[in-house]
Amino acid sequence: MKDEQPLKSMLEKMKGEVQFKSVLESIKEERLIEALHGVLEEKRYLVVFDDIWTIAAWDCLKPAFAREKKGSKVLFTTRNRTVASHADPWSSPVEPPFLTDNEGWELLKRKTFLKEILMEHGCSPEFEKLVRGMLKKCRGLPLAVVVLGGL
């Protein structure tokens, strides 16, 4: 960690340059973890990771987050219950419920139609039947419904 200051100044200097990405990719993973730990160890922080897929990915990141600082938190989402349980065996993972068919339909209508148009013209039964069939493929996942509504 005694080389941390030259690393920080090198990264700051290169942020605006095209070479930044290639330099960042060439730095060893362990070195990046050490630098991140150094930056966070004296601070309270909230770090959010979206969609951690494997235990190995979490185990690689975990050393960067010092446990000494009270009030700091790391939050991540995963579709893998095993990863969630491994990350903190003493906590119960939060599993938001899937949308019901009617909740999916309501969300899709809000994302697809302007409120005024929907209230004035409604939705044809043929269209609703077609869309409800597509909603079944989303299996209650809100993000899938929103993406479908954007199409």
Side-chain angles (χ1 to χ4, degrees):
M1 291 304 289
K2 54 186 159 175
D3 297 342
E4 181 183 336
Q5 198 55 41
L7 176 64
K8 280 183 183 177
S9 62
M10 178 182 72
L11 290 174
E12 282 299 317
K13 189 167 60 173
M14 297 194 73
K15 269 186 183 175
E17 298 178 20
V18 177
Q19 298 170 327
F20 179 70
K21 186 175 179 182
S22 63
V23 168
L24 191 59
E25 288 171 352
S26 69
I27 297 173
K28 296 271 187 234
E29 232 174 62
E30 297 83 21
R31 190 85 169 104
L32 288 172
I33 296 294
E34 287 173 10
L36 180 58
H37 183 275
V39 169
L40 295 177
E41 72 181 334
E42 296 300 319
K43 296 180 173 94
R44 286 182 57 193
Y45 55 83
L46 170 65
V47 177
V48 180
F49 291 106
D50 184 34
D51 216 8
I52 302 287
W53 279 70
T54 64
I55 289 172
W58 171 245
D59 285 344
C60 177
L61 294 167
K62 190 176 182 177
F65 306 102
R67 290 201 172 253
E68 302 87 42
K69 194 67 179 172
K70 299 282 186 195
S72 294
K73 298 287 180 203
V74 176
L75 173 85
F76 68 83
T77 65
T78 182
R79 296 178 200 170
N80 186 332
R81 189 174 235 281
T82 306
V83 174
S85 296
H86 173 79
D88 188 355
W90 303 108
S91 295
S92 297
V94 176
E95 296 182 75
F98 294 109
L99 299 175
T100 65
D101 290 346
N102 287 333
E103 290 169 335
W105 172 242
E106 290 302 316
L107 176 60
L108 184 120
K109 286 192 307 187
R110 281 197 314 262
K111 292 298 176 182
T112 305
F113 304 110
L114 293 174
K115 187 176 180 179
E116 299 79 34
I117 292 174
L118 193 59
M119 290 182 75
E120 187 176 323
H121 300 290
C123 187
S124 74
E126 298 85 21
F127 181 76
E128 183 174 344
K129 183 179 178 185
L130 174 70
V131 172
R132 283 188 180 267
M134 288 188 245
L135 282 170
K136 292 269 188 215
K137 304 277 187 201
C138 295
R139 297 180 19 212
L141 295 171
L143 180 59
V145 174
V146 169
V147 169
L148 179 61
L151 296 175

